[in-house]
Amino acid sequence: MTIRWGLCGAGKISHDFSVAMKTLPPRDHQVIRANRSTLFQRLMAATRSWPMTRTLVSYEQYVHVAELNICVLTDIVYLGVLHTEHWRVGLLFLKAGKNVLCEKPFAMNSRQVKDLVAAAKKNNVFLMEAIWSRCFPVHAEVRRLLAEEAVGEVKLVKAYFGSPQLHIPRSVEKELGGGALLDIGVYCLQFILMVFNGERPESIQATGVLLDSGVDESVVVVMKFSRNRMAFCSFSIAARLANDAVISGTRGSIKVLGPMHCPTTLVVNDKETEYPLPEPHLPLNFTNSTGLRYEAEEVRQCLLKGLKESPRMPLADSVLLTEIMDEIRKQVGVVFSQDSQ
């Protein structure tokens, strides 16, 4: 069965997602392009010069005019718009009965995430937060090793992600949903939750420094889980960090090397294994972006099975993840306008 994708958002990540699709069998995945609808073409041409806040009108018309070919012919929409628009645009598609794969962060806070989850359940459609690292072979192997207690009982998890990006407006401006936490810290936190099987931490302690714009530049988080297990993570959009993770157990360790969001190397008790990615047919904007193929195929398998969420990235994990991020922002002092709406 071919899964027909509609790409909502024309940014860098949407480009990379479409390039990654080309590494998969065309009989399994097809991107439905906007030029199939002359009405949609006119709609986008009319809004091309509008400010971002006004282009949302095009999304509303895209969803509400159901006879548009681009809407009717898609099985699922990949949502690759700005962080601040995930909630609004996501709700439009979900209420229109469309399956949605929404880029991370799912939304700006846990209230918005719960709105998306509720809308998906009410309309009986598939919904997944696009934490693509959860679908990588490295993470699948980590889950297998943990299930087999290959390193004994896990006692400490450490994760680091630092990438200098103070020059990128999307990363530093509050109005665009900037900050280290929402952009890259989410990958450290989701990894910790995956290791601890979606367990809620008993305590969270966070500290960080803010930019003049009011978003977080660098953050350190310590979490305590049941049975005296600990997790530590640090992330920054000002400094380049190790960009790896270590799971320490009573009988050994598991190291995930490479970028936290797209790892391709695993070291288990000093034995290293590589998981190479296919080469892209076009230049990519982000590191290892052909790995988005794993996420797309995970969605396909879920849809074929009639699932409404992914077992690799359950909606409960997304809700808990955002609740943890809310608490971290509270302790660090980051407040978005969406928090009071």
Side-chain angles (χ1 to χ4, degrees), residues 95-135:
K95 290 179 179 179
K98 303 301 297 184
N99 299 310
V100 171
L101 173 64
C102 179
E103 259 305 330
K104 62 80 202 167
F106 225 161
M108 296 299 292
N109 55 42
S110 59
R111 177 188 57 79
Q112 289 189 340
V113 169
K114 291 173 184 177
D115 285 347
L116 292 172
V117 172
K121 292 182 177 180
K122 181 177 180 180
N123 292 279
N124 195 34
V125 292
F126 176 87
L127 176 63
M128 177 181 170
E129 184 178 12
I131 303 287
W132 56 318
S133 54
R134 283 280 179 107
C135 304

Side-chain angles (χ1 to χ4, degrees), residues 34-50 58 61 65 68:
N35 60 15
R36 295 199 176 200
S37 168
T38 56
L39 176 57
F40 188 76
Q41 279 186 308
R42 293 197 302 270
L43 190 77
M44 293 307 293
T47 61
R48 192 167 291 131
S49 62
W50 292 2
S58 69
Q61 293 183 10
V65 184
L68 283 177

Side-chain angles (χ1 to χ4, degrees), residues 288-299:
N288 292 348
S289 281
T290 50
L292 290 163
R293 71 196 304 270
Y294 301 124
E295 180 178 72
E297 182 58 23
E298 168 66 10
V299 170

Side-chain angles (χ1 to χ4, degrees), residues 166 179-181 208-211 215-219 235-239 332:
L166 297 180
L181 175 62
V209 294
L210 306 184
L211 296 172
V215 302
D216 51 302
E217 174 201 276
S218 302
V219 177
F235 38 90
S236 172
I237 53 174
V332 174

Side-chain angles (χ1 to χ4, degrees), residues 293-310:
R293 71 196 304 270
Y294 301 124
E295 180 178 72
E297 182 58 23
E298 168 66 10
V299 170
R300 178 176 178 269
Q301 292 301 320
C302 289
L303 294 181
L304 291 178
K305 296 173 184 176
L307 301 179
K308 301 306 178 184
E309 60 181 291
S310 165

